[in-house]
Amino acid sequence: MGKIIAVANQKGGVGKSTTVVNLAAFLGSKGKKVLCIDFDPQGNATTGFGIKKRSVEITSYNVIIGKNRIQDAIIVTEFENVSVIPSTDALAGAELELLNMDNRVNRLKMQLLTIKNDYDFVLIDCPPALGSLTINALVASDSIIVPMLAEFYALEGLSQLVNSIKIVKNNYNPALDIEGILFTMFDGRLNVANDVVAEVEKYFPNKVFETKIPRNVRISEAPSHGKPVMYYDKTSKGTDSYTLLGLEILGEPLQLPQKKRRGVFNFKKERQ
C-alpha cells in the first residue's frame, strides 16, 4: 500500500513544489513508483516536470470536483517511475465550488483510495493557503512534510499550520502525522538560521529532517528546463541535498557516493 505525503505550508516561496518534484525524481530513481499530485493553482510542479499546461485537458481540478476519475488525469512523465496529475489556474475556482459539495473535505481521499495501491509514494503539492484544497490533501494523507525557511517569521506560520493539522487529526484523519520539517534555502553561516533550527527542534523533537536544502543555483535553474535537478545536473549540491532527503524518507543511511561526500553539507556555523 502506497504512502501519501502532503507537502504543505501556508506561506508561499518556501520550496513546496521544488521539494515535490525533486523528491519524486529521487524516489523514482530508487525504483519506487511515484505519483505527484499538483494541487496548487499556480501549477509549479506541473511545469517542473516539463508538462505544458496549455496542452493539458484533465487536471486535478477535474478530479476534485468529480468531473473525471483520478485515473484519467495521470500523465506518465519521461522521468523514471514518476507520474503526475497536473494543475492549471482553473483549480483556483475549486475553493468556492467545494463549499456547496457533499463530503467536501473527503473528495481527494475518496479518489485516491482507488489508486493508492498502485504507487509506493503519492506526493501532494499543496497551495500556499489553509483552504479547502489543503484540507482535502491533509485528510487524504498519511503524513505531511513541512518545508520552511530558517527565519523567525516562519515560526509563526509553522504554529498556524500545526494548529490546522491538529484540527484535521481530531475531526477527519486521526492517523495524520508530521513526516518531518524541512529547512529550505538554508544558509548555516547565519546566526538567525541556526537559532530558528534550534527553536524548532526544541518544540518538535525528532521531527526536523537532518538534511537541510541549501540555496543552490542549479535547483533554481532546473524548473526552467522542465527537469528535476538530478536530471538537470546530477553533480550539483542541489542533487546531493535531495538525494539525502530521499534517503531519510526511505530510512537509509545518509551517505553520498565517496567522490561527492567531502564538503557537501557542512552546515555548522562557521567562525567569522
Side-chain angles (χ1 to χ4, degrees):
M1 182 177 290
K3 184 172 188 177
I4 302 175
I5 303 175
V7 180
N9 190 324
Q10 75 273 27
K11 290 186 175 293
V14 298
K16 291 185 296 293
S17 301
T18 300
T19 295
V20 167
V21 169
N22 291 299
L23 177 58
F26 171 77
L27 293 172
S29 74
K30 294 286 285 184
K32 305 300 182 182
K33 194 172 182 183
V34 185
L35 175 65
C36 296
I37 301 177
D38 193 341
F39 224 41
D40 185 345
Q42 296 178 87
N44 290 337
T46 301
T47 302
F49 284 111
I51 298 170
K52 306 299 182 184
K53 287 183 279 189
R54 285 179 295 181
S55 66
V56 172
E57 295 182 3
I58 302 174
T59 69
S60 54
Y61 168 77
N62 302 79
V63 173
I64 196 65
I65 66 168
K67 187 176 181 180
N68 292 91
R69 300 182 312 151
I70 195 168
Q71 292 90 338
D72 300 330
I74 296 172
I75 296 174
V76 178
T77 74
E78 63 184 282
F79 309 108
E80 188 176 10
N81 294 317
V82 177
S83 297
V84 177
I85 294 176
S87 172
T88 65
D89 55 10
L91 183 61
E95 288 281 1
L96 288 176
E97 294 181 56
L98 285 169
L99 293 176
N100 298 316
M101 292 183 176
D102 295 331
N103 295 317
R104 62 178 180 269
V105 301
N106 289 300
R107 298 184 70 84
L108 181 61
K109 178 179 180 179
M110 291 187 293
Q111 288 269 19
L112 278 172
L113 286 174
T114 66
I115 62 166
K116 184 176 182 179
N117 293 338
D118 297 335
Y119 296 91
D120 297 301
F121 289 94
V122 177
L123 304 179
I124 307 173
D125 184 16
C126 298
L130 295 174
S132 298
L133 295 175
T134 298
I135 298 301
N136 258 272
L138 296 182
V139 170
S141 296
D142 300 304
S143 63
I144 175 173
I145 291 174
V146 184
M148 65 177 289
L149 305 182
E151 300 174 352
F152 275 110
Y153 282 131
L155 294 174
E156 182 178 334
L158 178 61
S159 176
Q160 294 170 357
L161 179 60
V162 169
N163 287 335
S164 297
I165 293 171
K166 288 180 180 177
I167 292 171
V168 172
K169 283 175 67 73
N170 291 336
N171 292 281
Y172 306 111
N173 185 2
L176 181 65
D177 193 16
I178 295 177
E179 184 80 21
I181 297 168
L182 175 67
F183 284 99
T184 60
M185 297 174 242
F186 187 77
D187 187 345
R189 297 170 298 180
L190 303 177
N191 289 333
V192 66
N194 291 284
D195 290 344
V196 170
V197 170
E199 189 76 5
V200 174
E201 288 178 336
K202 181 170 72 174
Y203 287 101
F204 299 94
N206 303 315
K207 290 296 185 182
V208 178
F209 285 111
E210 182 177 340
T211 303
K212 312 292 189 291
I213 309 299
R215 290 188 182 274
N216 179 254
V217 172
R218 295 306 193 196
I219 292 177
S220 300
E221 291 174 345
S224 66
H225 295 268
K227 296 180 179 180
V229 68
M230 68 179 294
Y231 287 91
Y232 176 61
D233 184 351
K234 65 181 180 180
T235 64
S236 71
K237 289 184 179 180
T239 296
D240 290 342
S241 65
Y242 279 105
T243 295
L244 291 176
L245 175 63
L247 291 173
E248 276 198 76
I249 297 289
L250 294 174
E252 297 184 10
L254 303 188
Q255 184 173 341
L256 294 167
Q258 183 70 35
K259 63 179 180 180
K260 293 184 180 181
R261 223 184 296 162
R262 180 176 297 176
V264 174
F265 286 119
N266 183 14
F267 282 129
K268 293 182 179 179
K269 187 166 53 178
E270 297 176 2
R271 293 181 180 178
Q272 301 299 318

